[in-house]
């Protein structure tokens, strides 16, 4: 591990001043990003594996940013330093945001969720195996060196929105639900505050895969605001993975329906996880659902539309290949149909012991 300076901050102004100073004085060979330390569950791994080597770490763990609860404007406030576990178990989240709770509980393990923070969850890095191996090229870790995954082992990789420069996926479960729920990320720096719609927070790789998000190096996430949720009775987080627990998703779906009493769809929200460099939200597919009956036939049409631009990567790109990810395209289509069926039936999640139904649903 490269030596680094450790700074502990206790107030937000102190933190902003420290981040601003560090953002301007990166030393050669050191990263500009990743200088904050919240729960440390991703950052420490990346430093130990020599993937990231910041010259200084600002420990923000004691900042007063761990609040969760409703605000006067009706939004649910999720503090950046609230732990994932506390967020999932908060009474307002349990009652009004079951899909978000299910997504959080589908991620990692109880021990990790006890350490991991909401801000850190948004900024966790891809799980591409080449990214984690400092001995091989990778455009995200070392810009301009190439992308071995594009023709290599790509089972976990993107089928939507990728570029030849990078086919990595964003691995978070929680972020998929937040994208579907129209959340907004609030950030602060010494230059002021800004609000970033969740769907615009993470980037597609293009020719700058080293940049995961639109966050500037001197900005701190203070909280995420989630608007009132009309979808609670009919929302689902479906996670498909290679092991039943403690595994990142191959594909995940956050599906939410607002239904009329005759089962016609009034409005819908749909986001896919682990299929792109960011949570994948398609408002055209959502619009297709409006005014249609909540039936499997409707869902099959929408799933086909949602995956219309999907492409396989890795090699060889055959459906039966164990290296390429062609299998993820039909898998994602089936997952979308199943998630919408579950949402219509009021089934919140498929994830093992965490699976539960909304009260009052059969
Ligand atoms: C074994 C294992 C399995 C996992 N499985 C899953 C899974 O299935 N699903 C899933 O979604 N996740 C999974 N995770 C990832 C886990 O959710 C993340 O590691 C965690 O959410 C990161 O939060 P943290 O507070 O520990 O972040 P840290 O590691 O402290 O920080 C991560 C990044 O966020 C930045 N950061 C943190 N807070 C802020 C802030 N307020 N403002 C600006 N920047 C900030 C840091 O600078 C750093 O770059 C797994 C992790 C492990 C180790
Ligand atoms: S997919 Fe992205 S992270 Fe993985 S090797 Fe290619 S450039 Fe690196």
């Amino acid at each position: 591990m490269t030596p680094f300076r450790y700074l502990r901050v206790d107030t937000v102004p102190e933190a902003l001043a420290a981040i601003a100073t560090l953002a301007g004085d990166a030393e050669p060979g050191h990263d500009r990003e990743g200088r904050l330390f919240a729960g440390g569950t991703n950052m420490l791994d990346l430093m130990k594996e020599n993937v990231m080597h910041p010259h200084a770490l600002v420990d923000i763990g004691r900042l007063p940013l761990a609040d969760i609860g409703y605000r006067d404007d009706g939004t649910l406030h999720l503090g950046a330093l609230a732990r994932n576990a506390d967020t999932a178990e908060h009474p307002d989240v349990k009652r009004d945001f079951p899909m978000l709770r299910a997504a959080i509980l589908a991620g990692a393990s109880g021990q990790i969720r006890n350490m991991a923070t909401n801000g850190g969850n948004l900024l966790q890095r891809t799980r591409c195996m080449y990214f984690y191996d400092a001995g091989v090229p990778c455009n995200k870790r070392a810009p301009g060196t190439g992308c071995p995954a594009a023709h290599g082992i790509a089972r976990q990789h993107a089928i939507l929105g990728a570029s030849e420069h990078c086919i990595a996926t964003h691995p978070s479960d929680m972020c998929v639900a937040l994208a579907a729920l129209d959340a907004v990320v609030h950030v602060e720096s010494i230059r002021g505050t800004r609000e970033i719609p969740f769907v615009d927070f993470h980037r597609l790789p293009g020719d700058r895969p080293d940049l995961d998000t639109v966050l500037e190096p001197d900005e701190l996430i203070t909280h995420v605001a989630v608007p009132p949720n009309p979808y609670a009775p009919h929302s689902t987080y479906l996670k498909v993975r290679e092991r039943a627990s403690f595994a990142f998703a191959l594909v995940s779906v956050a599906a939410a329906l607002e239904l009329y009493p005759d089962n016609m769809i009034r409005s819908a929200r749909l986001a896919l996880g682990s299929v792109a460099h960011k949570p994948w939200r398609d408002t055209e597919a959502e619009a297709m659902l409006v005014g249609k009956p909540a039936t499997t036939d409707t869902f099959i049409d929408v799933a086909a539309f949602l995956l219309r631009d999907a492409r396989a990567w890795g090699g060889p790109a055959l459906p039966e290949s164990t290296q390429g990810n062609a299998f993820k395209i039909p898998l994602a289509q089936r997952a979308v149909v199943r998630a919408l069926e579950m949402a219509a039936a009021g089934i919140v999640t498929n994830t093992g012991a965490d699976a539960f139904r909304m009260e009052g649903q059969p």
Side-chain angles (χ1 to χ4, degrees):
M1 195 190 280
T2 313
F4 60 92
R5 274 194 296 148
Y6 171 85
L7 285 106
R8 204 182 95 187
V9 288
D10 295 311
T11 67
V12 171
E14 237 186 294
L16 298 181
I19 302 167
T21 308
L22 293 172
D25 72 353
E27 293 161 17
H30 288 283
D31 296 325
R32 285 185 57 76
E33 288 191 75
R35 296 195 181 109
L36 307 188
F37 180 89
T41 60
N42 193 210
M43 196 63 214
L44 279 187
D45 277 357
L46 291 162
M47 290 171 70
K48 284 194 260 181
E49 297 290 337
N50 206 24
V51 174
M52 293 180 84
H53 14 73
H55 67 291
L57 264 194
V58 183
D59 183 347
I60 58 170
R62 289 171 180 77
L63 298 183
L65 297 175
D67 268 23
I68 302 172
Y70 280 110
R71 293 296 184 256
D72 290 344
D73 63 1
T75 61
L76 181 74
H77 173 106
L78 305 177
L81 284 166
R83 306 284 169 181
N84 287 176
D86 294 334
T87 307
E89 297 306 330
H90 192 276
D92 294 338
V93 176
K94 281 174 99 161
R95 186 184 59 244
D96 299 334
F97 295 88
M99 178 174 77
L100 175 61
R101 168 179 156 78
I104 297 171
L105 293 179
S109 63
Q111 291 90 337
I112 292 170
R113 294 193 296 269
N114 282 338
M115 289 300 295
T117 65
N118 293 334
N121 194 308
L122 268 55
L123 291 171
Q124 64 175 291
R125 312 239 34 208
T126 185
R127 291 284 157 169
C128 172
M129 57 181 269
Y130 301 103
F131 175 73
Y132 271 82
D133 183 347
V136 302
C138 166
N139 283 331
K140 185 179 279 298
R141 179 172 27 78
T145 56
C147 174
H151 302 287
I153 298 171
R155 286 180 65 76
Q156 297 278 351
H157 289 70
I159 51 174
L160 289 164
S163 76
E164 72 274 16
H165 301 291
C166 180
I167 62 167
T169 52
H170 193 265
S172 167
D173 291 294
M174 180 186 190
C175 290
V176 185
L178 289 173
L181 290 167
D182 293 314
V184 176
V185 185
H186 289 246
V187 307
E188 195 168 340
S189 71
I190 55 167
R191 296 173 287 114
T193 58
R194 75 181 170 121
E195 299 176 13
I196 308 167
F198 206 89
V199 287
D200 299 329
F201 183 74
H202 297 95
R203 297 176 67 257
L204 289 178
D207 59 2
R208 288 298 308 273
D210 52 315
L211 301 176
D212 291 346
T213 70
V214 299
L215 196 70
E216 297 290 342
D218 64 343
E219 285 178 324
L220 174 77
I221 301 175
T222 54
H223 64 281
V224 175
V226 196
N229 177 23
Y231 300 103
H234 293 287
S235 54
T236 294
Y237 186 71
L238 174 76
K239 180 170 179 176
V240 183
R241 48 186 156 178
E242 290 185 328
R243 280 196 310 262
S245 73
F246 206 28
F248 289 92
L250 286 170
V251 172
S252 70
V253 186
L257 297 171
E258 206 182 359
L259 298 178
Y260 290 113
D262 62 358
N263 220 31
M264 299 295 277
I265 299 168
R266 183 175 181 199
S267 68
R269 294 288 181 272
L270 206 46
L272 268 63
S274 293
V275 297
H277 201 252
K278 60 187 287 184
W280 189 264
R281 177 102 183 258
D282 184 334
T283 49
E284 282 184 70
E286 291 169 2
M288 256 180 90
L289 285 161
V290 175
K292 304 264 173 52
T295 60
T296 301
D297 285 346
T298 302
F299 302 153
I300 289 172
D301 290 346
V302 169
F305 180 76
L306 193 52
L307 274 298
R308 63 197 178 282
D309 294 325
R311 101 155 246 205
W313 293 86
L318 303 169
E320 67 274 18
S321 163
T322 55
Q323 294 194 348
N325 65 1
F327 75 97
K328 281 181 75 165
I329 299 173
L331 179 67
Q333 280 188 354
R334 288 197 295 270
V336 169
V337 174
R338 185 163 161 222
L340 285 165
E341 287 175 340
M342 288 167 65
I347 300 169
V348 180
T349 185
N350 69 325
T351 51
D354 299 326
F356 58 94
R357 283 172 182 256
M358 283 297 290
E359 279 174 32
Q361 296 290 338

